[in-house]
Amino acid sequence: MSTLIHNGAIAAADKGLTTATSTETSNLMNGKHRPPKKHEQSLEDHRVHQQQHQQQDEQQQSTPQKQAAVSSSSSSSSSAMSADERKATRRSLVIVAGIFIASLATMCYVYAIFPELNAAEKQHLKIPRDIQDAKMLAKVLDRYKDMYYFEVMFGVVVAYVFLQTFAIPGSLFLSILLGFLYKFPIALFLICFCSALGATLCYTLSNLVGRRLIRHFWPKKTSEWSKHVEEYRDSLFNYMLFLRMTPILPNWFINLASPVIGVPVHTFALGTFCGVAPPSVIAIQAGKTLQKMTSSSDAFSWTSMGVLTVCACAALAPGLLKNKFKSKKKVA
């Protein structure tokens, strides 16, 4: 009896095992069996890592090509820009050369229409380089001024504008000469007109070809003056008056650098015309005693320098007040 029971249990166990095995096999065949969740997640992470590695490899392979393409395009664009700049520079140089040739032709015309001079007088008919040249030229021009009034005036004006246009020293001696030849109102107007016209022409030439040269040779002065111009942007006319009355910056540098740092041409021209008036008064007064002068420094005494300083401070005062009010408003 016990034997039969034992054999039945074994048979039932075998049947259960067979049933479980068949069930698992059927599940596998039907696709119902799935691996454990942890194993499935690890497989998915592995696939993601492989995809990331593949993308990185593709990017590394394509990056040199992209960099080469970008560098080639940038180099081509830079070469195109340099070619355009070269064309613009050539065009500007042609314009400057044309202006210079036209100026020389005008000077030759003035010499041609001038009255006939003897050999002793001709050697003094030149742009004065020192006070002795100015004295001798004044004697020659004074002899012909009454008979050839406009010819003499036109010749001095053309020479003055020529010097101012091409930033050539010597305009101070011509200012003294005009003070010697003409009455005070006429001399003052001629000096202011010639200074404004010549400086504006110099401004134009600098705007055409001088930007890079100025930034290259005078980077410190240009950057410092740019800051001052921005500071006095709302009262730029007064600042131009101040610069023309004081020797802080030479006039030739003001003429060349103004277009580079953004000074408008109308403000520049008007500020020059009015700003040179006080120093011109001193030069005209010196011209009345030209034959007694021994050097150009005799024109400027301590009294005249004090008057110029007062005028310069008065011209700069409105700008200082505006900046002070602005700072107070910002604080408030």
Side-chain angles (χ1 to χ4, degrees):
M1 184 67 180
S2 62
T3 303
L4 291 173
I5 294 170
H6 179 68
N7 290 331
I10 293 173
D14 291 337
K15 185 178 180 180
L17 181 61
T18 302
T19 303
T21 305
S22 62
T23 303
E24 184 177 357
T25 302
S26 63
N27 289 334
L28 288 171
M29 292 177 66
N30 293 330
K32 293 180 180 181
H33 182 73
R34 294 288 183 270
K37 291 183 178 180
K38 293 182 178 179
H39 182 62
E40 185 179 11
Q41 185 67 29
S42 63
L43 290 174
E44 185 67 24
D45 293 339
H46 182 67
R47 289 193 199 96
V48 172
H49 286 304
Q50 283 183 344
Q51 291 178 357
Q52 290 178 352
H53 284 301
Q54 289 177 358
Q55 292 177 356
Q56 290 178 357
D57 293 337
E58 292 176 356
Q59 290 178 356
Q60 289 177 357
Q61 291 176 359
S62 64
T63 297
Q65 297 176 355
K66 290 180 180 179
Q67 290 178 350
V70 170
S71 62
S72 63
S73 63
S74 63
S75 62
S76 62
S77 62
S78 63
S79 62
M81 288 176 62
S82 61
D84 293 338
E85 289 178 353
R86 284 196 296 270
K87 290 180 181 178
T89 303
R90 291 194 196 100
R91 193 182 305 113
S92 301
L93 289 174
V94 170
I95 294 173
V96 173
I99 294 174
F100 185 77
I101 293 172
S103 301
L104 288 179
T106 306
M107 296 284 288
C108 294
Y109 173 74
V110 170
Y111 186 81
I113 66 173
F114 209 78
E116 188 67 26
L117 304 177
N118 57 44
E121 293 174 334
K122 282 184 178 179
Q123 64 178 350
H124 300 302
L125 193 64
K126 60 182 180 179
I127 295 176
R129 312 305 301 174
D130 52 34
I131 199 66
Q132 295 301 324
D133 289 344
K135 286 181 179 181
M136 300 308 297
L137 180 60
K139 289 181 179 178
V140 174
L141 296 182
D142 188 50
R143 187 177 303 170
Y144 294 93
K145 182 189 66 174
D146 295 333
M147 187 177 299
Y148 301 96
Y149 186 85
F150 291 103
E151 287 84 351
V152 171
M153 179 184 293
F154 182 68
V156 177
V157 167
V158 169
Y160 204 121
V161 174
F162 178 79
L163 295 180
Q164 288 285 320
T165 301
F166 298 100
I168 302 173
S171 57
L172 174 61
F173 299 111
L174 292 182
S175 298
I176 297 174
L177 179 64
L178 286 172
F180 173 82
L181 292 174
Y182 300 102
K183 295 180 180 179
F184 180 85
I186 298 174
L188 181 61
F189 175 78
L190 289 176
I191 294 172
C192 293
F193 172 77
C194 294
S195 298
L197 179 59
T200 304
L201 292 175
C202 185
Y203 176 104
T204 305
L205 296 180
S206 177
N207 193 30
L208 286 172
V209 296
R211 292 178 177 271
R212 287 189 174 183
L213 295 177
I214 292 168
R215 289 196 178 103
H216 177 73
F217 288 106
W218 301 284
K220 188 176 180 181
K221 279 188 176 181
T222 305
S223 60
E224 289 177 356
W225 197 26
S226 298
K227 294 178 182 178
H228 287 297
V229 168
E230 290 302 323
E231 184 179 357
Y232 294 97
R233 177 65 64 180
D234 295 335
S235 56
L236 200 54
F237 173 74
N238 298 89
Y239 187 62
M240 286 299 302
L241 293 178
F242 171 78
L243 289 176
R244 292 301 186 184
M245 295 179 193
T246 56
I248 295 177
L249 291 174
N251 285 328
W252 61 266
F253 179 78
I254 297 174
N255 299 341
L256 293 174
S258 291
V260 179
I261 62 177
V263 179
V265 63
H266 61 277
T267 304
F268 173 84
L270 185 59
T272 301
F273 183 89
C274 299
V276 298
S280 300
V281 172
I282 298 174
I284 293 170
Q285 289 177 347
K288 303 306 178 184
T289 59
L290 173 61
Q291 299 304 328
K292 298 179 181 179
M293 294 176 62
T294 57
S295 67
S296 59
S297 59
D298 295 341
F300 298 94
S301 62
W302 288 106
T303 303
S304 61
M305 294 302 295
V307 172
L308 280 180
T309 303
V310 172
C311 293
C313 293
L316 195 61
L320 294 174
L321 294 175
K322 284 183 180 180
N323 291 337
K324 188 175 182 179
F325 287 144
K326 278 186 178 180
S327 61
K328 287 184 177 180
K329 287 182 180 180
K330 289 180 180 180
V331 172

